[in-house]
Amino acid sequence: MKFEPISGPLKGTLQVPGDKSISHRSVMFGSLARGITEVSGFLNSADCLSTIDCFRKMGIEIETDPSAARVRVHGKGILGLSAPASTLDCGNSGTTTRLISGILAGQPFHSRLTGDDSIKKRPMKRVIDPLTAMGASIRSEKGNGCAPLLIAPAHLHGIEYHSPVASAQVKSCVLLAGLYADRMTTVVEPSLSRNHTELMLKGFGADVRSDGCRASILPNPDLHGIRVSVPGDISSAAYFIAAALLVPGSEVLLPNVGINPTRDGILEVIKNMGGSIEVLNEKESGGERSADLLVRAQKLHGCRIGGALIPRLIDELPIIAVLAANAGGTTVITDAGELRVKESDRLEAIVTSLRAMGADVTGTEDGMIIRGGRPLTGALIDSRMDHRIAMSFAVASLIADGPTTIRDAGCVTISYPEFYRDLASLIRA
Ligand code: S3P
């Protein structure tokens, strides 16, 4: 797909679609709850549809109304799933694969989980190890630590797991297996990852306790269906935040964006880069905070990004790197080795793509050094079928000199099917 630089500012109001992490969880936990869970603001993207498909295969009735972003889950309780007649296909979704593994480990039936070529390369040892320590029977079919995964019935024990990575997918997997364990299960992570699982499971009636980087769950709760109102996804809003900051004269209002403190690292980075975003009309639903974000074009300067901030902006690093390439001075990103095992090796993808556009970037083992301020030129960008790479470089193309072509730009359907339409609406507004 070809992208031309734009001549005028971005203007207008845009409601970004629902949060992907929260949408996945609403279907999963709704399936494990007794009665009906009504979800509004649900993200109808390929990843979330993979989750719906998996639970339908396990006998859960799920009604969808994509035009209204509504989903109705007819949950059957934590012991209500039935054996799937065929392999569960998680598509491109790491969240689906890892969270469902935890649920399947506690089921009285056999199951097989797989996904697309990207999923089959992503590390699943990080969930196989703790689940095995709980007594689960789970193995990688090919013995390479990746999907397909084979899971068999087993008796689970509660454990205290010290995770080597700050990963909400690992934490959530272990906590979900903990629903089926014989005593309390605890996960301790090196720094706090997104806490949607803890917040939402509590809403469904589970006994979840959180204290800093430590989260515990008691087994055998009676989960009951609830209403879930999904806020806009800050990871999707990030592209418009960046576009509005970068394109001179822009002013964009993004209503109802989730600003859970475990997800709002991009707002902190923009502050550290000397920018200011107005956070208006803050509210809360189901423990999840949201607000309207008003963004105006501004000159930014480089900063350091690392440590405990990384899990709070892990999916935003590609677009933050685009911002840094256009900021004055140097930005140093460290502690971001996790980006190598996302939908693509995002560290490699960012460095290669920014360089192709003329930016001064040096890759490091766990991050990069970006010497900002060089004007970007249009280039050929390979999305690597990674939605966040495609969207980040579509934004970069707006301010580049000359046209940019993004290969496999259609992969945005993973998290944001209408991304290009929404971006165009701000250009024409
Ligand atoms: C997610 C957690 C993050 C994030 C992913 C969604 C989740 O992954 O990158 O897009 O919904 O729990 P990790 O927890 O593996 O870092």
Side-chain angles (χ1 to χ4, degrees):
M1 196 183 269
K2 200 166 170 185
F3 298 84
E4 299 289 344
I6 57 168
S7 45
L10 296 175
K11 294 267 182 193
T13 299
L14 176 69
Q15 174 65 62
V16 297
D19 187 276
K20 180 153 78 71
S21 294
I22 298 176
S23 295
H24 277 299
R25 286 160 173 79
S26 68
V27 169
M28 294 181 186
F29 308 166
S31 297
L32 300 179
R34 257 179 231 286
I36 288 179
T37 289
E38 295 268 7
V39 189
S40 58
F42 186 82
L43 171 66
N44 277 291
S45 76
D47 263 12
C48 298
L49 296 179
S50 294
T51 291
I52 290 182
D53 183 55
C54 288
F55 282 91
R56 281 183 175 152
K57 278 193 175 151
M58 292 190 281
I60 304 297
E61 183 188 344
I62 302 170
E63 298 170 70
T64 58
D65 180 354
S67 58
R70 285 188 178 274
V71 167
R72 186 181 245 253
V73 185
H74 298 253
K76 294 186 177 172
I78 66 165
L79 300 173
L81 301 178
S82 44
S86 56
T87 295
L88 297 171
D89 186 353
C90 302
N92 188 249
S93 174
T95 305
T96 309
T97 313
R98 297 197 178 109
L99 270 62
I100 289 188
S101 303
I103 295 169
L104 291 174
Q107 302 305 316
F109 50 77
H110 291 256
S111 50
R112 182 172 181 270
L113 267 184
T114 194
D116 68 7
D117 289 346
S118 157
I119 273 293
K120 283 190 230 161
K121 286 186 207 124
R122 294 182 66 186
M124 294 301 152
K125 192 172 176 302
R126 56 180 59 197
V127 293
I128 294 174
D129 285 351
L131 291 176
T132 304
M134 293 177 82
S137 170
I138 174 168
R139 66 183 181 86
S140 154
E141 193 174 84
K142 296 207 163 81
N144 59 356
C146 299
L149 299 176
L150 297 170
I151 301 170
H155 181 73
L156 301 186
H157 311 292
I159 59 169
E160 176 166 318
Y161 183 62
H162 290 253
S163 176
V165 281
S167 160
Q169 294 181 356
V170 171
K171 171 173 65 178
S172 303
C173 167
V174 176
L175 292 176
L176 287 166
L179 293 173
Y180 301 93
D182 54 5
R183 56 178 177 268
M184 187 165 80
T185 297
T186 298
V187 182
V188 183
E189 37 182 4
S191 48
L192 185 61
S193 65
R194 63 191 66 190
N195 64 356
H196 306 301
T197 294
E198 298 91 303
L199 294 175
M200 199 190 288
L201 271 178
K202 242 181 251 171
F204 275 99
D207 192 340
V208 185
R209 294 162 204 182
S210 315
D211 180 13
C213 296
R214 191 182 175 88
S216 303
I217 193 163
L218 289 178
N220 289 316
D222 191 14
L223 304 183
H224 48 81
I226 58 171
R227 280 178 189 275
V228 178
S229 165
V230 183
D233 196 326
I234 192 167
S235 300
S236 299
Y239 305 104
F240 302 104
I241 293 174
L245 286 165
L246 289 172
V247 178
S250 297
E251 180 171 309
V252 171
L253 179 66
L254 303 164
N256 189 30
V257 176
I259 52 161
N260 178 318
T262 62
R263 293 284 301 283
D264 69 351
I266 185 170
L267 301 181
E268 191 166 318
V269 162
I270 289 165
K271 233 183 249 169
N272 294 343
M273 295 178 97
S276 83
I277 290 179
E278 283 188 55
V279 179
L280 309 164
N281 301 320
E282 269 194 59
K283 53 183 196 283
E284 198 182 302
S285 171
E288 296 285 353
R289 275 162 55 187
S290 61
D292 304 343
L293 305 179
L294 180 62
V295 193
R296 296 191 184 89
Q298 283 155 66
K299 285 260 170 283
L300 301 176
H301 56 70
C303 70
R304 300 188 79 87
I305 305 170
L309 188 52
I310 295 292
R312 292 173 51 212
L313 46 66
I314 188 75
D315 293 338
E316 289 68 79
L317 278 165
I319 189 66
I320 288 172
V322 171
L323 278 177
N326 290 282
T330 301
T331 295
V332 181
I333 300 174
T334 54
D335 309 314
E338 273 294 295
L339 283 196
R340 295 210 184 273
V341 290
K342 294 293 179 189
E343 286 84 329
S344 69
D345 176 347
R346 287 187 179 155
L347 288 182
E348 181 278 327
I350 297 167
V351 172
T352 307
S353 309
L354 277 179
R355 277 205 186 140
M357 296 186 85
D360 184 353
V361 191
T362 309
T364 62
E365 198 47 52
D366 68 348
M368 66 193 73
I369 300 161
I370 304 168
R371 286 162 288 268
R374 275 202 203 168
L376 298 184
T377 47
L380 172 64
I381 303 294
D382 182 358
S383 71
R384 293 150 176 81
M385 296 294 279
D386 183 331
H387 54 130
R388 302 214 183 276
I389 298 301
M391 290 189 276
S392 297
F393 286 89
V395 169
S397 77
L398 298 176
I399 50 153
D401 186 12
T404 293
T405 300
I406 300 182
R407 194 176 281 156
D408 297 318
C411 64
V412 299
T413 50
I414 291 300
S415 66
Y416 198 157
E418 303 295 352
F419 175 73
Y420 301 115
R421 183 203 65 186
D422 284 357
L423 185 58
S425 78
L426 295 176
I427 295 170
R428 289 198 204 99

